[in-house]
Amino acid sequence: MRAFACARGQATVELVGILPLAVLVALVVGQLLAAGAARELAGNAAEAGAAAILQGTDAAQAAHDALPGWSAGRATVQVSGREVHVRLRPVGVVPGVADRLAATAVADAGPRP
């Protein structure tokens, strides 16, 4: 019984010690998920812009329209000939990391018919 008396509160101390690490891991995983979503959305927007080139409409506007509302100030779209370049910064879960994880996608409308 005396051996158990020395270990009282040990679980609480271990939880307090591991909690910051668990929060950090959750934030990093959340940031990586946001970066993955930004990469997927940038690719979809670039493809929408390339499709607009084939249809003869405004490629930059089509790429912007393909992005969700939260990305309004986070995306840049450049049209160069028949290529559409989209750069999208993910939502910053971890401060200062979003710019480094920006996704860039390029879609080509193909050769001129």
Side-chain angles (χ1 to χ4, degrees):
M1 186 72 136
R2 187 160 174 88
F4 292 118
C6 293
R8 280 184 91 173
Q10 183 68 28
T12 303
V13 171
E14 290 173 358
L15 177 64
V16 168
I18 198 74
L19 195 58
L21 181 62
V23 169
L24 178 65
V25 167
L27 287 174
V28 168
V29 168
Q31 186 65 68
L32 291 175
L33 287 172
R39 180 181 205 109
E40 187 72 23
L41 291 170
N44 291 342
E47 288 178 7
I53 290 173
L54 294 173
Q55 295 170 352
T57 59
D58 185 11
Q61 186 62 45
H64 277 292
D65 290 346
L67 292 169
W70 61 263
S71 65
R74 299 178 171 277
T76 56
V77 177
Q78 294 178 337
V79 180
S80 174
R82 295 180 63 82
E83 285 187 350
V84 180
H85 300 260
V86 177
R87 182 176 187 273
L88 180 61
R89 289 186 352 253
V91 174
V93 178
V94 178
V97 177
D99 287 336
R100 295 181 182 199
L101 295 175
T104 303
V106 179
D108 193 344
R112 294 201 179 271

